[in-house]
Amino acid sequence: SGSRDLTLVEGRIGIGLHPRAFNGSESASVDLLITADNYLDVTKTITFDTDENGQDVLNVDIPMVNLSNPPEGIEVSEVSASLSDGSLNEELSLVVGSDSAKPELDITLPQGLKFKNKSGQFVSGSSLNLNVASFSADDVNAVNAFPGGFASDNINVNGEIVSGGFVTAGFASFEMKIGNEEIKSFDQAIEVRSKISSEVINPNTGE
């Protein structure tokens, strides 16, 4: 509870937990939300361990994608569209990727689309801003930049919580805003077509 101003030194920050956070356990986990102007948001779960000598020291790298200069394997596109009474004036299409025949992403927002915030309330405004980043599953830089990573200690398998990891066939990040308000849902469906990596194997079929 509460807040603390923290200063980065050469891109690093130091965080420790108060002993009460462990509640008698040898470990405690926290979820971090990291944001920076012109970077994609990142969420990261960090587990702190402790013993009679105190907390272990962890060095945790958290990569963030610079939208102005993304790494190889990540395509970024931004577009704006005009609104009337909070509705899209005309159909909006956005293609992400240098290969126009097989783009990484093809997105279509229908004319008349209305936008809602995280509370489910309609958002009014005169302009919509859409920022999209598409990540190639064939590029290690793109895969390493997945916000939060692919490992998890909280996977529900038939009601049992287990640890494990995921393999991606490709993923994307969508950020929409009207003014300073984030858009989280719509009053009708939008169409998103995503390129799938041919290197990903279906574990059920082996193909």
Side-chain angles (χ1 to χ4, degrees), residues 31 37 48 54 58 66 84 110 118 128 132 137 164 167 180 189 205:
D31 294 323
D37 291 341
F48 293 84
L58 301 175
N66 185 331
S84 294
K118 63 182 179 181
L128 169 75
V132 179
V167 176
N180 292 321
T205 65

Side-chain angles (χ1 to χ4, degrees), residues 58-78:
L58 301 175
N59 289 312
V60 181
D61 291 326
I62 303 178
M64 299 183 73
V65 175
N66 185 331
L67 295 174
S68 298
N69 186 29
E72 187 175 347
I74 302 175
E75 301 270 1
V76 177
S77 293
E78 185 175 6

Side-chain angles (χ1 to χ4, degrees), residues 27-124:
S27 65
S29 296
V30 297
D31 294 323
L32 302 182
L33 170 63
I34 303 102
T35 66
D37 291 341
N38 205 42
Y39 285 81
L40 288 181
D41 293 355
V42 173
T43 57
K44 185 77 172 180
T45 299
I46 305 295
T47 299
F48 293 84
D49 295 316
T50 187
D51 55 27
E52 65 274 8
N53 297 317
Q55 296 181 40
D56 289 341
V57 176
L58 301 175
N59 289 312
V60 181
D61 291 326
I62 303 178
M64 299 183 73
V65 175
N66 185 331
L67 295 174
S68 298
N69 186 29
E72 187 175 347
I74 302 175
E75 301 270 1
V76 177
S77 293
E78 185 175 6
V79 66
S80 297
S82 58
L83 307 174
S84 294
D85 297 325
S87 299
L88 199 60
N89 284 340
E90 56 186 28
E91 181 181 278
L92 175 64
S93 294
L94 177 63
V95 174
V96 183
S98 55
D99 186 350
S100 59
K102 294 182 179 180
E104 296 290 334
L105 278 174
D106 188 350
I107 306 158
T108 301
L109 278 60
Q111 182 180 8
L113 184 69
K114 293 184 177 181
F115 306 88
K116 298 179 181 181
N117 59 21
K118 63 182 179 181
S119 300
Q121 303 298 314
F122 285 106
V123 180
S124 61

